[in-house]
Amino acid sequence: MNMIEVKNLTKQFGEVTAVDSLTFHVARGEIFGLLGPNGAGKTTTIRMLCCLISKTSGEAQIGGYSIGNGADSLVIRKLIGLVPDNIGLYEELSAYENLDYYGKLYECPEAQRKERIEYYLDMMELWEKRDQSVSDYSKGMKQKVAISRALIHDPELLFFDEPTANLDPEASKVVREIILKLKTDGKTVFLNTHNLDEAQRICDRIGILKTKLLAVNTPEELEKTVWGNIRTVIQVEQINDQILAAVRKLNPKDLSVEENNIILILADPQKENADFVQAIVSAGGRIQNVTQLNPGLEETYLKVIRETK
Amino acid sequence: MRLSKAWIVASKDFKTFTKRKSILYTIIYFELIVSVGIPFIVRFAETKAARAGVLPNLLDAFSFLYVIGAGLAPLGIAAYSLVGEKIQKSLEPLLATPTTDEEILAGKSIAAFLPAMAATYIGALIFVALIDLFTHSTLNYYYFPNSNFAIILFLLAPLACILSVGYNILVSSRVNDVRTAQQLGALILVPFGALYLLSEIQVLHLTTGNMLIVAAVLAVVDVIVFYLVKATFRREDILTKWK
């Protein structure tokens, strides 16, 4: 059974449709990234899935429990942990007091609560500063406390809403590593992000949202679907007819030459690149560079978003 | 509704208030002035007042200040309790926990109500002791405790406090800074202040009957405010409509 099942989920605020007929699923243990511009409905989607706001229509289940059902809402909130875009810690309290408060709200028994607070603060390298007021912490440290807060009741599913926004590169890297560790611990992660590089690095699958869900797939498949074939560029010191004949013999899907670059479109570049390199070398060519012209997630994302305008 | 959950929310707020001394001062100042300051004023003016035969009326009017105090004391707490959460943007993670809207609301209300009433009662004890000490030689009897003061302390003061807490929650849902919340929240004291002035100038006599009428009106207003607060404190509205 999938951790998240969403079917035609819609949210309207008066006349405005914030989220329109979303249908997707997130498997257990998967990191799913939701990408989209500001106002695309990412936070609204998370809020609906966390039972913070109601849906207008459609269905969504978290761990088999329905988000529209009042009785299921409390069960769902126990299954999930939320790291919102605003960290939202109590600045007067210490990291320990913040986590202890949430541990109580999540109904963790005292012994377990103490154990988990120590475990997570230790993991986040904050144990030594546990009694220090959170107001004295850096943004990165606060984000670590916010993540610990979401984990205090050992949830199966974690929602992260822009977790690295406003963090410096070092702190962002730490947050990404924590998310990847959560995956190895068997947790399911739902990630809202603007950061395409981050999404490409850590997400198993990605959804592109702009009120409607425009595409869902793995980053690689998304690129293939959007751009078609990926080009391989082989830079050769001097191109001659013998080299071109050797290349043509291997039947590439497409072949073109620009200056001293042989540009190929191959059915399966991962397997075929080596054959083409060998053929060129055998024909006396001296290879200077082999590059795969990969449009990347950023270009893919922008193309998808632009095409919906 | 689980009271244990409401108590967790309230306990966290108590802890916050102990670290924010300015909130504690708003509770203590007024009680200190009324409970210690007024008895000393009475001490210096009592002979004149007793001769004029107005001392009991004066003491009744002064004791009505505890209704105002009970309405004033939760201002700082109630305003900070919710506006503080808004400023720190801590409402979203709080609402994501398996806690119902009613439990959070009850917790916030308890956090404002209990310290306010505790301050009122401690202040009243000091007031009663000092007034009796200073007026016994003139009146030849202990003026306090009496039935009117009991109505003030155990009926009017809690009702005023509940009204103030509810009204301040309503105000807090509309504003974004603690000071504005306190200033707007203080408007709830205007009717109580008017009653106090009327009793001081002897237009309204704080008889048992009159105080019971005030209590009945307060109880009705409390119920109306309770339903307004309940309708306001809905998690979807908090996240999407509260400023």
Side-chain angles (χ1 to χ4, degrees), chain B residues 61-75:
Chain B
F62 283 146
S63 49
F64 193 77
L65 286 173
Y66 281 95
V67 179
I68 297 177
L72 181 70
L75 277 185

Side-chain angles (χ1 to χ4, degrees), chain A residues 233-240 242-244 246-248 250 255 262 264 273-290:
Chain A
V233 180
I234 304 175
Q235 193 182 349
V236 183
E237 199 176 72
Q238 208 164 15
I239 299 172
N240 55 37
Q242 203 180 342
I243 291 170
L244 289 177
V247 169
R248 282 198 188 97
L250 292 172
L255 166 67
I262 297 172
L264 302 164
N273 278 348
D275 299 336
F276 281 87
V277 167
Q278 200 173 1
I280 293 167
V281 171
S282 301
R286 282 171 62 87
I287 292 175
Q288 293 174 315
N289 197 5
V290 180

Side-chain angles (χ1 to χ4, degrees), chain B residues 146-159:
Chain B
N146 60 38
S147 58
N148 278 3
F149 199 49
I151 292 172
I152 283 174
L153 280 189
F154 300 113
L155 197 62
L156 286 177
L159 286 171

